[in-house]
Amino acid sequence: MKETKGYQLTDDFLWGGAVAAHQLEGAWQEDGKGVSIADVMTAGSKDHPRIVTDTVQDDQVYPNHWGIDFYHQYPSDLKLFADMGLNCFRTSIAWTRIFPNGDETKPNEAGLKYYEDLFNECHKNGIQPVVTLSHFEMPYHLVKEYGGWRNKKLIEFFTRFAKVCFERFHNQVKYWMTFNEINNQTNWHDPHPLLQNSGLILEDDDNWEEAMFQAAHNEFLASAQAVTIAHQIDDQLQVGAMVAMCPIYPLTAKPEDILKAQRAMEYRYYFGDVQALGEYPQWLLNYWKRHDYEIDITDEDRQTLKSGVVDYIGFSYYMSFATEAKGQTNELTFDEDHDLVNNPYLEKSDWGWQIDPVGLRYGMNWMNDRWHKPQFIVENGFGAYDQLTDDGQVHDDYRIKYFHDHILSMEKAVVEDGIDLIGYTPWGHIDLISASTGEMKKRYGMIYVDQDDLGHGSGRRIKKDSFFWYQKVIASRGKDLSY
Ligand code: BG6
């Protein structure tokens, strides 16, 4: 039976919405902005992956160039967010607006001014900004000239960018995150997420996994240094990790399946071990040895990781996975393209993402037991085809159901299980460009944006049914979940 009563959360709980600069700002060449990875990613679909072109080509479509024109429309959009009741708003700072190529020594003042104005406008609306520094939008120049995050020079470039942002915005932004879904790069398939996350373009003789471990290590160092810098600038700042939490269940109770799922979890979430505990797990050091991987890690690096552990764990949650051993014993190999199996107990979205509200509570407890840090759900949502009906509205009851079930699960994790949760920012509370497919029609929003995959349409914003439902949830601080 549907439970309509939730638990009332405390007054300081942050209820928000989440976006990323490249998926909604547009204005890809305005005010001195440089070219980011997202700017050279073409439109794709569920069946046709996005392609990265080396330059912008006339015969290709690049949806991130226009986003939903938030760059110009943010004052009216923020009013809508305030109307919904949000008290926080997660976005990212496009690195290329501040350092267009990434390797300059002086920041672009026009870019800084833009975010200063945006954050001021947030506060005017009673909304505190929550900011990710690197959300799949690093300068493309750093990919081409330096080989992305495999190059340790990027640590210097990133920490310069982070420092400039902390110095300029520390009075406006308390909660920060360094790298979005840093652990998604364990899932290698062309052209992303290894490229989206770490700017790696692989050569023929590259071992992708070794390259990934090295790039991730350099990101850990950059992240740890950023945490230290933030605290030196302002001890009130809170800097978090950001992982994509998709729990991996064993398909059956067969011991080999249980072990496989456990090892897969270790593999997919070692990122949190390093960022929250400040050290690599022993199994991974053994794994590198067995595979003859030479990851460049110095004693000084180990010290940096220890002294720069994150303040909290930000995470996205959309779905859970399931796996089975398929004859494997206990050697850890986990490959998301081949080792994931259908979970017969769960339904899927139109894009094949398994819907699992219980998994949210499971994942929160798993992370809490392991990392002992406050948590922040910075993405959760349901990508669906929405219909603008003849009455000029969008009746997205499927999305309301998804949110109902997930928010209830989250509240149980907080109130019954005692997890220290800072806030909840559902993904794409306003429709925007999908990161994986580049589509507009994969919509997550509670606010509809009248625009198609090619950027055509009036751009008009329309409140969906889920807008009014979430408004009511926030007004009751999570207690009234009825629909
Ligand atoms: C996360 C990302 O992977 O999921 C977002 O942090 C992304 O950038 C979101 O948009 C939903 O994924 P998609 O591919 O449906 O847009």
Side-chain angles (χ1 to χ4, degrees):
M1 210 184 67
K2 188 173 78 188
E3 292 176 73
T4 54
K5 266 210 199 126
Y7 291 94
Q8 185 165 322
L9 301 183
T10 52
D11 287 352
D12 58 351
F13 188 80
L14 297 178
W15 292 97
V19 301
H22 66 105
Q23 289 172 259
L24 89 168
E25 284 179 1
W28 73 292
Q29 287 184 302
E30 265 177 66
D31 296 328
K33 182 182 174 302
V35 177
S36 76
I37 287 184
D39 293 326
V40 287
M41 285 187 84
T42 62
S45 69
K46 190 167 58 165
D47 308 311
H48 293 98
R50 305 182 76 176
I51 294 166
V52 174
T53 55
D54 199 40
T55 52
V56 172
Q57 294 170 9
D58 291 345
D59 57 347
Q60 295 285 352
V61 174
Y62 300 92
N64 299 72
H65 288 188
W66 53 77
I68 56 162
D69 194 35
F70 182 77
Y71 193 78
H72 301 109
Q73 302 198 37
Y74 73 81
S76 49
D77 283 341
L78 284 169
K79 282 201 174 63
L80 273 174
F81 303 169
D83 184 13
M84 212 193 282
L86 307 196
N87 59 13
C88 82
F89 168 55
R90 173 184 177 228
T91 189
S92 60
I93 293 179
W95 190 344
T96 48
R97 292 200 190 282
I98 313 302
F99 290 99
N101 281 326
D103 57 358
E104 298 89 343
T105 49
K106 289 219 158 43
N108 170 31
E109 175 54 31
L112 289 168
K113 178 78 174 58
Y114 169 73
Y115 287 106
E116 190 171 78
D117 292 346
L118 170 66
F119 299 153
N120 271 337
E121 199 67 24
C122 287
H123 285 289
K124 266 198 241 162
N125 283 283
I127 295 172
Q128 69 160 293
V130 171
V131 171
T132 317
L133 285 165
S134 183
H135 192 133
F136 304 163
E137 56 206 351
M138 66 188 279
Y140 193 56
H141 176 75
L142 298 183
V143 176
K144 289 186 68 163
E145 287 297 311
Y146 298 88
W149 275 99
R150 71 174 87 208
N151 190 329
K152 280 198 144 77
K153 279 210 173 86
L154 265 75
I155 300 171
E156 176 194 329
F157 303 147
F158 177 82
T159 49
R160 184 178 299 137
F161 164 55
K163 185 164 185 266
V164 163
C165 292
F166 296 144
E167 276 170 348
R168 182 71 169 244
F169 305 124
H170 70 103
N171 288 323
Q172 295 174 296
V173 181
K174 173 177 175 184
Y175 290 103
W176 298 82
M177 276 159 281
T178 49
F179 294 95
N180 185 63
E181 293 190 334
I182 188 166
N183 62 323
N184 258 1
Q185 50 194 320
T186 54
N187 172 20
W188 159 250
H189 49 121
D190 205 30
H192 47 268
L194 203 46
L195 178 68
Q196 271 184 331
N197 277 88
S198 294
L200 295 196
I201 295 176
L202 298 179
E203 309 296 336
D204 285 347
D205 55 350
D206 268 333
N207 176 315
W208 82 266
E209 201 183 36
E210 186 175 20
M212 180 273 287
F213 283 128
Q214 184 64 61
H217 177 66
N218 295 340
E219 286 164 6
F220 294 145
L221 290 175
S223 176
Q225 286 185 29
V227 172
T228 304
I229 293 168
H231 292 163
Q232 282 162 356
I233 291 171
D234 185 337
D235 61 9
Q236 294 303 301
L237 297 189
Q238 296 286 295
V239 185
M242 196 312 199
V243 296
M245 170 45 68
C246 308
I248 307 166
Y249 303 143
L251 183 64
T252 72
K254 204 165 120 193
E256 286 78 5
D257 286 352
I258 308 270
L259 185 65
K260 171 86 179 183
Q262 188 211 40
R263 305 307 299 142
M265 286 291 278
E266 301 267 351
Y267 183 74
R268 203 180 141 82
Y269 299 104
Y270 88 85
F271 297 79
D273 296 341
V274 180
Q275 292 191 284
L277 307 176
E279 58 189 30
Y280 280 93
Q282 187 61 43
W283 72 261
L284 186 54
L285 304 177
N286 297 353
Y287 182 79
W288 290 344
K289 215 175 195 170
R290 278 204 304 285
H291 288 79
D292 289 328
Y293 290 164
E294 287 179 18
I295 313 299
D296 176 12
I297 303 179
T298 64
D299 284 345
E300 197 187 339
D301 289 355
R302 278 184 262 276
Q303 193 45 50
T304 303
L305 296 178
K306 262 283 175 225
S307 50
V309 296
V310 290
D311 297 310
Y312 67 95
I313 306 293
F315 68 99
S316 63
Y317 180 81
Y318 292 91
M319 60 190 143
S320 63
F321 295 150
T323 192
E324 63 180 335
K326 290 182 192 153
Q328 285 175 9
T329 53
N330 64 352
E331 164 63 320
L332 169 60
T333 58
F334 177 68
D335 165 1
E336 284 176 28
D337 280 342
H338 301 105
D339 290 349
L340 293 183
V341 293
N342 190 48
N343 184 332
Y345 301 101
L346 299 177
E347 287 179 4
K348 294 188 181 118
S349 78
D350 287 328
W351 280 262
W353 293 19
Q354 296 186 141
I355 303 165
D356 178 14
V358 175
L360 172 59
R361 184 173 175 187
Y362 174 85
M364 290 171 78
N365 277 286
W366 190 88
M367 291 188 283
N368 194 47
D369 293 346
R370 198 174 179 92
W371 299 327
H372 317 289
K373 293 274 176 196
Q375 297 180 12
F376 198 156
I377 303 175
V378 294
E379 289 185 32
N380 172 234
F382 188 59
Y385 297 105
D386 288 338
Q387 280 303 322
L388 191 57
T389 46
D390 290 343
D391 55 4
Q393 296 180 26
V394 179
H395 302 296
D396 55 344
D397 48 323
Y398 38 89
R399 186 169 290 109
I400 293 174
K401 178 174 174 12
Y402 180 98
F403 281 128
H404 166 278
D405 295 350
H406 285 77
I407 291 176
L408 188 60
S409 194
M410 161 186 98
E411 291 178 353
K412 287 179 178 170
V414 172
V415 178
E416 295 181 15
D417 308 337
I419 289 175
D420 181 4
L421 187 67
I422 298 164
Y424 174 74
T425 60
W427 175 253
H429 61 295
I430 181 164
D431 290 345
L432 38 60
I433 308 293
S434 156
S436 59
T437 67
E439 292 167 303
M440 188 68 200
K441 63 173 169 289
K442 187 180 186 189
R443 295 174 185 271
Y444 285 85
M446 304 184 207
I447 299 167
Y448 185 86
V449 177
D450 179 29
Q451 183 181 299
D452 67 14
D453 287 346
L454 294 173
H456 301 145
S458 67
R460 202 156 64 87
R461 278 51 168 160
I462 297 158
K463 297 172 184 174
K464 302 183 195 178
D465 288 357
S466 55
F467 178 103
F468 300 103
W469 181 82
Y470 190 46
Q471 187 183 48
K472 184 183 66 177
V473 172
I474 298 177
S476 70
R477 299 201 293 282
K479 191 157 186 192
D480 184 358
L481 300 179
S482 60
Y483 65 94

